[in-house]
Amino acid sequence: MKVLVVGSGGREHALIWKINQSEKVSKIYAAPGNPGIAKLAECVNIQALAIEDLANFANKEKIDLTVVGPESPLIAGITDEFEKRGLRIFGPNKKAAALEGSKAFAKELMHRYKVPTADYQIFSDFEKASQYVKNCPFSFVIKADGEAAGKGAIIPKDKEEAISILQNMMIEKIFGPSGEKVVIEQKLEGEEISLLAFTDGETVLPMIPSQDHKRVFDYNQGPNTGGMGAYAPVPFINAEMVERMKREILVPVIKGLKGEGIKYKGVIYAGLILTKDGPKVLEFNCRFGDPETQAILPLLQTDLVDLLLATLEERLNEINFFWYEGFCVCVVLASKGYPGKYKKGKVIKGMEEAEKEALLFHAGTSFLSTPAAYCSLPTVVTGGGRVLGVTALGDTLKEARDKTYQAVAKIQFEGMHYRRDIGEKYE
Ligand code: GLY
């Protein structure tokens, strides 16, 4: 089989690393990929949002399966375009991807199917939204309805700041049309976890739970990022709790969508919070999480390609799903300044040494020379905010953490920053 993976981050590198282990696969392409991915796949210079070009490429190269990493192409309808052309693609179609693409759509769906989530109101009018926050008796989160590069959910310090956030989103349009509508929801208290599942629109197969670390500094200080590290599985979530989350959250959503004529096929990612009243939904994503995928896939025993195909062929009920025992920890090495402004082009040293002890999933890396020189192994430099995911396994969470941080110690680049507490709380 020829497989094309769309995207260029640590998640896509982890997906390709796992897909490469399948005996069914003869060739992997990545669009656009990155220097780490280039060791396993042929990188083609097509961006993830160039849907026409990707479909033309898949057609020309007779790609058997395309796997989409990031949400943007899914929300923009890449699956619909590929399916229209008879090309096989993994990821929900545009209507289903609205679960991530519109916070208001997701909240209303949850409300209709009694899926536990925070109380909320939706506003398209700035004056009405401002009035609401002025009188709101509880702490709340303001969320831009549409895509906002992971920056669209903000917890205001006080009501004054809340009005200024609304002003920025709804009037100044800092997120473009994504912020014209907002969801204001009650801020919940509890531990946050990520539960990802494969679904073919009927069967829902949860993966092992994982925990992301979103703030940039240790002990959850500083601004939110795309994720500074993750581990799996989560020791305080037992099989019974996963079953409850599936029963109360994932199944009603997938069934509800189906009842409304939307078949959701792909990975559904539930961002959950464990409140004193039980698990509640913070958000849904329509794709594999990043960095969660980097901590989950190394523990997956089942052939990933079998899972992807069974999802598309609606045969997930036939799948035997196996996981290795133990734990996996992924620590993200980031550029100085991330998630704000940062410099690129810093030479990364020590990767070969680190790779003797751990998996290195490349995220924001690039070659010092042009992409055309992919084969000649030129120097690898930083090319993004999140640069590398260093990942190791262990029989215990502590062992996995120790091995990961030993490998982290081998790597250097100017301004390298990482959290030292990934998975520490529960080791
Ligand atoms: N780790 C957060 C996300 O994938 O959206």
Side-chain angles (χ1 to χ4, degrees), residues 11 71 100 150 194 196 211-214 225-230 269 283 285 287-293 386:
R11 164 186 48 210
E71 64 277 13
E100 175 165 359
S194 307
L196 283 65
Q211 194 167 40
D212 189 9
H213 293 60
K214 291 208 169 73
T225 68
M228 292 297 291
Y269 163 146
E283 63 173 4
N285 295 316
R287 37 126 187 123
F288 288 92
D290 196 2
E292 290 93 326
T293 303
R386 291 191 291 177

Side-chain angles (χ1 to χ4, degrees), residues 40-61:
L40 302 170
E42 184 176 330
C43 294
V44 290
N45 196 12
I46 309 176
Q47 296 307 306
L49 266 170
I51 292 176
E52 276 294 302
D53 294 346
L54 289 167
N56 289 341
F57 177 82
N59 210 10
K60 184 169 131 272
E61 294 299 329

Side-chain angles (χ1 to χ4, degrees), residues 175-249:
F175 300 128
S178 290
E180 284 171 1
K181 197 193 271 188
V182 296
V183 173
I184 302 177
E185 68 174 37
Q186 185 166 15
K187 184 177 171 298
L188 299 175
E189 298 299 332
E191 197 76 39
E192 291 182 29
I193 68 124
S194 307
L195 186 65
L196 283 65
F198 292 94
T199 179
D200 55 15
E202 291 284 339
T203 304
V204 176
L205 223 50
M207 301 180 214
I208 49 173
S210 56
Q211 194 167 40
D212 189 9
H213 293 60
K214 291 208 169 73
R215 304 288 185 139
V216 71
F217 300 124
D218 288 355
Y219 308 113
N220 299 327
Q221 302 300 307
N224 262 339
T225 68
M228 292 297 291
Y231 70 90
V234 182
F236 57 88
I237 307 281
N238 58 20
E240 205 177 302
M241 180 54 103
V242 171
E243 200 47 42
R244 177 175 173 189
M245 291 164 170
K246 175 179 163 181
R247 189 178 62 244
E248 292 181 4
I249 292 165

Side-chain angles (χ1 to χ4, degrees), residues 348-414:
I348 307 171
K349 293 187 192 139
M351 285 195 288
E352 272 179 28
E353 279 305 302
E355 259 176 319
K356 290 179 187 156
E357 301 172 16
L359 294 160
L360 288 195
F361 294 125
H362 288 228
T365 63
S366 44
F367 287 121
L368 198 51
S369 50
T370 60
Y374 267 178
C375 299
S376 60
L377 297 177
T379 309
V380 175
V381 296
T382 63
R386 291 191 291 177
V387 176
L388 288 167
V390 183
T391 304
L393 297 156
D395 290 339
T396 61
L397 189 49
K398 177 166 177 11
E399 190 184 320
R401 256 175 61 73
D402 289 347
K403 279 170 137 177
T404 306
Y405 281 106
Q406 272 159 27
V408 166
K410 304 269 182 337
I411 301 173
Q412 309 104 41
F413 57 85
E414 193 189 310

